[in-house]
Amino acid sequence: MRMLFSLVALLIAGVAVAIPFFMRGMSLYVLETVLGVALVALILLYRSVISPMGALHRGINLLKAQDFASRLSHVDYAPADRIVDTFNSMMAQLRSERLRVREQNQFLDLLVDASPMGIIVLGFDGTISSANRAAMQMLACGPLNGLRLSDLHGELAAAVAALRHNQPETVRLGDTRMFRCSRLSLLDSGHQRPFILIESLTEELLEAERAAYGKLIRTIVHEVNNTLAGVLPLIDTCAMISGDEAMEDAAHSCTERCNALSAFIGNFADVVRLGQPQCAEIDLNEFLLSQRPFLESLASGRGIELKYSLDAGMPSVSVDTVQFEQVVVNIVKNAVESIGENGVVEIVTDAASHTLTISDNGAGISPEAAGKLFSPFFSTKKSGQGIGLTLSAEILRAHRFDFSLASSRDDGLTRFVIKCW
C-alpha cells in the first residue's frame, strides 16, 4: 500500500512538472492547483489512514510472533499515536505477565523435581509426559518420557499401572518398602489430564509397626516369664515331695515344656532387644565359607544341594558377624524348608553389584504373600512363628543394607538379594 501511494504521488508530481510544456494560460494554473491539492490530500490521507494501518499491521505481526519485547513507533499523527501508545502498553503488560507465568512455572518445576513424592504426569494419549526424580528412583527407571505405564517393570510399576481413578492404594513390596499410590486428574485445556502421586510410607509405617509389636512382645514376655518364674519352682517342689516316679516324670515333662515356652518367647524378645550392630570389616567370602558346615547340616538328609558361587573380587564388608550370621542361617533355613526335598540352594556373591544372593528352587512365594513376608507374626509355614524374616529385616536395616525377596517368573527361582554397601 505504501508503494502504491508513492507511485501515485510520483505520478501526480510528474504530471505537474510536464504540464507547462503542453499548456498555457489560465487552464494551466487551474490544473496545477488541482494537482497540488490532490497531492496534499494524498499526503494527508497517507498520514491519517495508511500509516496507522501499517503500524497496526506491524502490531498484528508482533502478536502472531509472540514478540512482546518489541514496540511500535509513533507516526506523528495524534489519533494514530494514541493507538500506538495503547498497543505498546498492552504489549508491556503481556510481557510482564508472560515473565510472571514463566517464573511461576519454573518455580513449580523446581518444586516438583525436588519433591520427595513421586509425580508422574500422563499425556492425553496415555504416555508419560513428565516424571520427577523421586518417581524415577522409586520405580528404579531412567527417563520415562514417552513411555506407557505398562512398559515399566517391577512390583511398584505393576501396582501403579493397575491404579484406578480416585482410588488410592497402599502397596507393600517384597523388600519391605511401602507406598501410597493415587491416580488423580487436573483440568488442562478443557480436558482431564491424569497424573499419579507415589508417596513413600516405609519409615513412618515401619516405626509405627515396631512400636506396636514391640509393646505386644514386651507384654507377652513379661507375663509369661512372671508365670514361669512361679510355676517352675512349684513343679520342682511337687516332684521332690511326692516320692512318686510317675509324678517325677510328669514334673520333668512340665519343666521341659516350660523351658521350651521360655525359649519360644525369647525368640520374640530378640527382636525387641536387638541392639545396634557392632560392625567390623570382614571378607564376606571367607565368612560364608566358615558357615558352610552348619548350613549344610540344615539340608542334610533332604537331598538338597548347597552350592557356592563366590566372586573372588568381592570387596570386604562392614557387618556385625553375630547378627549377620543370624540372617544367613535364617535365609538358608527358609530356603531349605521351601524346597522340602531334592533341590538346590545356591549362595552367590557378586563384586560388580556388591550383592549377596541366596536362591532356591522351592515352592516360591505367592503374590498374596509377597507383600507380607516381613510383617511380624506372618508366616507361610504351618508351624512358623513369623519372626525370622522380621528379625532378619531389622538386622539388615540396622546395617543400612538394601534387600529384597521375590520369586522370578522367568526361571522359577526365589532369591533373597542383599546389597552389602
Side-chain angles (χ1 to χ4, degrees):
M1 185 65 71
R2 181 181 297 179
M3 185 176 295
L4 178 61
F5 265 79
S6 298
L7 289 175
V8 173
L10 287 174
L11 180 61
I12 293 174
V15 171
V17 171
I19 283 177
F21 295 100
F22 302 99
M23 297 181 65
R24 292 288 185 275
M26 183 60 67
S27 58
L28 172 64
Y29 294 112
V30 171
L31 188 56
E32 287 281 358
T33 302
V34 170
L35 290 174
V37 171
L39 185 61
V40 171
L42 187 65
I43 293 173
L44 291 176
L45 179 63
Y46 177 80
R47 289 188 59 190
S48 62
V49 178
I50 304 304
S51 183
M53 288 295 292
L56 289 177
H57 182 68
R58 292 193 297 275
I60 291 171
N61 288 335
L62 291 177
L63 285 174
K64 287 181 177 179
Q66 296 188 359
D67 182 4
F68 302 134
S70 299
R71 297 292 182 269
L72 297 180
S73 301
H74 286 170
V75 295
D76 297 327
Y77 181 67
D81 287 343
R82 285 197 295 271
I83 296 175
V84 168
D85 289 339
T86 302
F87 179 85
N88 287 341
S89 175
M90 180 186 70
M91 293 290 279
Q93 291 178 5
L94 287 174
R95 182 172 184 273
S96 176
E97 183 65 18
R98 188 178 189 181
L99 288 175
R100 187 188 69 80
V101 171
R102 184 179 296 171
E103 290 173 355
Q104 187 179 52
N105 289 340
Q106 186 177 12
F107 172 75
L108 290 175
D109 289 341
L110 292 172
L111 189 64
V112 167
D113 196 50
S115 172
M117 181 180 292
I119 302 174
I120 301 174
V121 180
L122 303 177
F124 296 120
D125 60 352
T127 59
I128 298 173
S129 60
S130 65
N132 66 348
R133 285 181 294 176
M136 290 186 284
Q137 290 172 357
M138 292 173 179
L139 295 170
C141 297
L144 303 176
N145 292 15
L147 299 177
R148 294 182 178 274
L149 293 174
S150 56
D151 297 332
L152 307 181
H153 303 286
E155 289 181 84
L156 182 57
V160 168
L163 285 174
R164 288 176 290 181
H165 186 68
N166 277 339
Q167 295 187 20
E169 291 189 16
T170 299
V171 180
R172 186 164 189 160
L173 306 184
D175 56 2
T176 74
R177 290 185 299 158
M178 288 169 279
F179 299 93
R180 178 79 165 174
C181 304
S182 306
R183 185 185 180 104
L184 307 170
S185 62
L186 52 83
L187 194 63
D188 181 13
S189 302
H191 300 279
Q192 293 293 331
R193 178 187 286 270
F195 66 96
I196 291 170
L197 300 180
I198 309 173
E199 181 183 5
S200 176
L201 304 177
T202 305
E203 291 304 321
E204 293 83 352
L205 288 184
L206 285 178
E207 192 60 37
E209 197 174 69
R210 288 191 201 104
Y213 70 68
K215 183 177 180 180
L216 176 61
I217 289 173
R218 282 191 291 270
T219 301
I220 293 174
V221 170
H222 176 75
E223 292 300 324
V224 170
N225 285 340
N226 281 352
T227 301
L228 293 179
V231 170
L232 284 172
L234 182 60
I235 293 174
D236 291 339
T237 301
C238 290
M240 290 173 58
I241 65 176
S242 67
D244 185 351
E245 185 176 350
M247 178 62 76
E248 290 179 359
D249 291 340
H252 178 69
S253 178
C254 289
T255 300
E256 286 184 345
R257 292 307 304 153
C258 287
N259 289 333
L261 178 60
S262 179
F264 176 81
I265 291 299
N267 290 335
F268 289 98
D270 287 342
V271 179
V272 180
R273 292 197 299 261
L274 183 65
Q276 286 298 314
Q278 304 301 312
C279 295
E281 292 287 331
I282 66 166
D283 184 310
L284 184 59
N285 290 345
E286 290 184 1
F287 172 79
L288 294 170
L289 288 172
S290 70
Q291 301 297 316
R292 187 165 192 166
F294 179 70
L295 297 178
E296 287 181 337
S297 70
L298 297 176
S300 63
R302 295 171 176 257
I304 297 175
E305 179 186 2
L306 185 66
K307 293 175 60 177
Y308 274 71
S309 299
L310 305 181
D311 189 337
M314 187 70 182
S316 60
V317 296
S318 179
V319 298
D320 183 317
T321 54
V322 175
Q323 292 186 5
F324 202 68
E325 179 183 346
Q326 284 183 282
V327 173
V328 174
V329 169
N330 184 64
I331 297 171
V332 173
K333 180 173 177 289
N334 284 347
V336 168
E337 291 176 350
S338 175
I339 294 172
E341 293 184 357
N342 302 321
V344 177
V345 175
E346 187 173 13
I347 298 176
V348 181
T349 57
D350 181 67
S353 58
H354 287 220
T355 57
L356 163 64
T357 303
I358 301 176
S359 63
D360 68 80
N361 59 349
I365 301 168
S366 68
E368 295 77 16
K372 306 175 185 177
L373 291 172
F374 296 97
S375 300
F377 314 121
F378 175 82
S379 176
T380 57
K381 295 175 287 189
K382 292 182 179 180
S383 59
Q385 302 173 18
I387 205 66
L389 285 178
T390 302
L391 179 60
S392 298
E394 290 292 336
I395 291 172
L396 293 174
R397 277 194 288 264
H399 281 76
R400 300 188 183 279
F401 290 167
D402 292 332
F403 58 94
S404 64
L405 174 58
S407 295
S408 173
R409 295 181 180 178
D410 298 330
D411 55 18
L413 296 180
T414 298
R415 293 179 175 86
F416 199 120
V417 182
I418 303 172
K419 293 185 178 180
C420 304
W421 56 32

